[in-house]
């Protein structure tokens, strides 16, 4: 009789319930969009990517075939003042000499994610996939969901039965959303541009020709156009809580406008909580430390990963130097134990289940797997890894320790045991 592997139960932000994640057409399609590249990435950005990495690793452990597409913004907001008409200035994707800020930020982000053990996406298109955008806007136009002003082509939210699918954002977020588009002639406060026409006052903007004249994509349209290359429906859409009531709402509006009435574009919405300090959130704070700054202070990148694993993607523990120091101490201790245990290559779930039998190791394996299946409870899963390494008689052969280390992405056998704990 084949062993039954549990399915991941994931909390869905849209309906505030946890349900099993079931792949469609034998493959789970996961989509996410990266941070704006106008500044170098900081640890607030990295926390979101780490949560997505745990999702992908857990799905692989649970035997769910997965394809992850990450849309990478490569148009940065220019420092020029906004035009009176509401046209948004964009920086060119690449200047004549040297890499652009967007390219430098993208390279820094990739290097940081690699240092933190984050798996690369299977697909990584950039937001300047303008041919996809133009075809998507044409489809919205044919379906009657757009109208034109001299500042651009706008999505008509008045055609939708509901816009705030994640609930009322409150007056502050609603005002911010409305002010993101400043053309007062829009039909509704929530209407947003899907194509921005050329503005001669913005001399540094990158432009493309289109059926509506020279211009550039709107803030949100590239993600919907790129995601559509995976098909009309997504299994999971990942992203930060800060994107929930603005960017993701626009994505839903655009994408579901082209689906049959009542169809849902995304199966489960996975929103990561912002990383916080004792004084506030780091999600939009440009003064937040970078991973490079943490490393120069003596911290290992995987200590930051371990700190995040001690919390939950929907409720990160507060980030403090003291908490990171404790995480580094734990990382050093576990790395030394993993090296002395001479852990085997990480097994698959089915292999580990067969080889652990019915003893203490099997119970450890069951607790680890159930923790991950329960909305990615990484704190419990990490405690199982610690038990397996600290009490090796409960995990003979190190199968549970090897598997849990691999799934949590800590790579303990590669961590230098001489890592110091900053005082």
């Amino acid at each position: 009789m084949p062993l039954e592997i549990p399915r991941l139960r994931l909390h869905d932000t849209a309906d505030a319930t946890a349900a099993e994640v079931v792949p469609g057409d034998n493959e789970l399609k996961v989509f996410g969009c990266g941070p704006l590249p106008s500044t170098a990435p900081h640890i607030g950005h990295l926390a979101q990517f780490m949560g997505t990495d745990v999702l992908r690793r857990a799905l692989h452990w649970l035997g769910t075939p997965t394809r992850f597409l990450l849309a990478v913004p490569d148009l940065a907001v220019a420092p020029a003042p906004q035009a009176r008409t509401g046209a948004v200035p964009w920086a060119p994707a690449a200047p004549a000499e040297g890499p652009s800020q967007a390219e430098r930020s993208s390279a820094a982000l990739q290097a940081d994610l690699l240092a933190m053990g984050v798996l690369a996406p299977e697909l990584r298109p950039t937001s300047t996939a303008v041919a996809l955008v133009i075809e998507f806007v044409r489809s919205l136009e044919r379906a009657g969901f757009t109208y034109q002003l001299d500042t651009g082509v706008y999505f008509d939210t008045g055609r939708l039965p509901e816009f705030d699918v994640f609930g009322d954002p409150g007056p502050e977020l609603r005002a911010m959303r409305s002010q993101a588009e400043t053309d007062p002639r829009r039909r509704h406060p929530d209407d947003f541009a899907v194509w921005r026409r050329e503005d001669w006052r913005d001399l540094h903007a990158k432009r493309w020709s289109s059926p509506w004249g020279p211009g550039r994509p709107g803030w949100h349209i590239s993600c919907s156009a790129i995601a559509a290359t995976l098909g009309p429906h997504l299994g999971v859409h990942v992203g930060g809580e800060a994107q929930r009531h603005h960017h993701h709402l626009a994505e839903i509006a655009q994408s579901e406008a082209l689906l049959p009435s009542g169809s849902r574009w995304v199966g489960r919405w996975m929103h990561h909580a912002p990383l916080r300090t004792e004084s506030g959130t780091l999600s939009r704070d440009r003064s937040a430390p970078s991973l490079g700054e943490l490393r120069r202070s003596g911290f290992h990148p995987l200590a930051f990963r371990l700190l995040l694993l001690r919390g939950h993607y929907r409720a990160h523990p507060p980030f403090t130097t003291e908490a990171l120091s404790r995480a580094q101490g734990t990382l050093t201790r576990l790395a030394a134990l993993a090296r002395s245990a001479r852990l085997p290559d990480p097994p698959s779930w089915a292999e580990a289940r067969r080889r652990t039998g019915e003893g203490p190791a099997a119970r450890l394996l069951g607790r680890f797997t159930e923790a991950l299946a329960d909305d990615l409870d990484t704190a419990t899963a990490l405690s199982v890894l610690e038990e397996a390494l600290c009490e090796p008689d409960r995990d003979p052969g190190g199968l549970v320790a090897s598997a849990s280390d691999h799934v949590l992405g800590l790579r303990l056998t590669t961590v230098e045991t001489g890592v110091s704990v900053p005082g």
Side-chain angles (χ1 to χ4, degrees):
M1 181 177 179
L3 295 170
E4 183 177 350
I5 304 177
R7 285 194 185 278
L8 172 65
R9 299 181 300 279
L10 192 66
H11 178 87
D12 179 24
T13 316
D15 58 20
T17 62
E20 289 187 352
V21 174
V22 180
D25 300 325
N26 298 317
E27 181 182 62
L28 185 73
K29 298 169 182 176
V30 181
F31 176 78
C33 34
L36 288 173
S38 53
T39 57
H42 57 64
I43 60 172
H45 300 134
L46 301 180
Q48 176 180 322
F49 280 95
M50 214 286 288
T52 301
D53 188 60
V54 170
L55 168 70
R56 297 177 64 204
R57 289 174 178 272
L59 288 168
H60 184 265
W61 173 247
L62 299 172
T64 304
T66 305
R67 183 158 52 132
F68 176 44
L69 188 155
L70 176 68
V72 181
D74 57 355
L75 290 174
V77 179
Q82 194 173 41
R84 182 183 59 80
T85 60
V88 175
W90 295 81
E97 297 181 3
S100 67
Q101 174 63 50
E103 290 170 323
R104 293 194 299 271
S105 297
S106 178
L109 178 63
Q110 291 182 65
D112 286 351
L113 295 178
L114 179 64
M116 285 184 60
V118 172
L119 300 172
E122 287 86 3
L123 300 168
R124 195 176 179 275
T126 65
S127 60
T128 48
V130 176
L132 294 176
V133 169
I134 290 174
E135 183 53 40
F136 201 94
V137 174
R138 287 171 64 93
S139 296
L140 291 173
E141 188 177 54
R142 289 191 293 266
F145 278 91
T146 65
Y147 60 92
Q148 296 190 42
L149 299 174
D150 56 15
T151 53
V153 182
Y154 289 83
F155 185 90
D156 188 353
T157 57
R159 291 285 313 279
L160 302 173
E162 182 183 21
F163 185 64
D164 287 314
V165 297
F166 295 124
D168 188 350
E172 184 177 342
L173 278 174
R174 187 179 289 279
M176 179 274 294
R177 195 169 67 197
S178 178
Q179 292 165 6
E181 303 282 352
T182 56
D183 193 323
R185 297 167 295 173
R186 287 173 297 135
R187 295 176 181 175
H188 312 96
D190 289 325
D191 290 357
F192 53 89
V194 291
W195 185 263
R196 299 186 185 281
R197 286 205 174 97
E198 179 179 36
D199 188 339
W200 62 268
R201 286 164 291 191
D202 182 10
L203 301 179
H204 300 288
K206 178 76 173 179
R207 299 175 178 85
W208 292 266
S209 57
S210 81
W212 313 281
R216 50 222 180 258
W219 285 107
H220 316 290
I221 193 68
S222 294
C223 288
S224 286
I226 290 171
T229 63
L230 290 175
H233 300 278
L234 302 174
V236 180
H237 192 311
V238 297
E241 181 66 27
Q243 299 169 304
R244 175 180 171 184
H245 287 290
H246 187 202
H247 180 57
H248 289 164
L249 281 182
E251 283 188 76
I252 293 172
Q254 295 164 162
S255 299
E256 293 191 354
L258 301 180
L259 296 178
S261 178
S263 295
R264 188 168 167 177
W265 175 46
V266 173
R268 315 298 293 173
W269 281 91
M270 179 184 178
H271 282 113
H272 306 276
L275 188 63
R276 299 180 183 277
T277 64
E278 293 173 337
S279 58
T281 178
L282 293 179
S283 62
R284 294 178 177 272
D285 186 356
R286 296 189 178 190
S287 66
S290 67
L291 190 67
E293 290 171 319
L294 296 186
R295 298 177 80 165
R296 289 189 289 275
S297 297
F299 292 107
H300 196 287
L302 293 177
F304 180 54
R305 183 181 184 103
L306 192 147
L307 173 64
L308 296 175
L309 291 172
R310 281 179 165 167
H312 191 268
Y313 75 89
R314 290 194 286 120
H316 290 305
F319 174 83
T320 64
T321 302
E322 293 76 14
L324 188 58
S325 293
R326 290 193 295 271
Q328 179 124 318
T330 301
L331 177 72
T332 303
R333 176 171 53 86
L334 295 181
L337 290 170
R339 285 180 180 274
S340 64
R342 298 183 181 276
L343 298 180
D345 291 337
S348 66
W349 183 89
E351 179 189 356
R353 181 67 186 86
R354 283 193 301 268
R355 293 173 61 183
T356 52
E358 300 298 331
R363 289 190 287 275
L364 280 177
L365 183 70
R367 284 173 52 206
F368 176 79
T369 302
E370 180 56 34
L372 285 180
D374 184 15
D375 195 27
L376 304 175
D377 180 2
T378 54
T380 299
L382 181 61
S383 70
V384 173
L385 169 59
E386 294 191 60
E387 286 182 41
L389 287 171
C390 294
E391 303 178 45
D393 57 321
R394 299 178 60 191
D395 180 29
L399 283 174
V400 177
S402 176
S404 53
D405 174 43
H406 177 71
V407 176
L408 293 176
L410 287 172
R411 305 179 298 184
L412 291 173
T413 57
T414 69
V415 176
E416 308 88 348
T417 53
V419 169
S420 62
V421 179

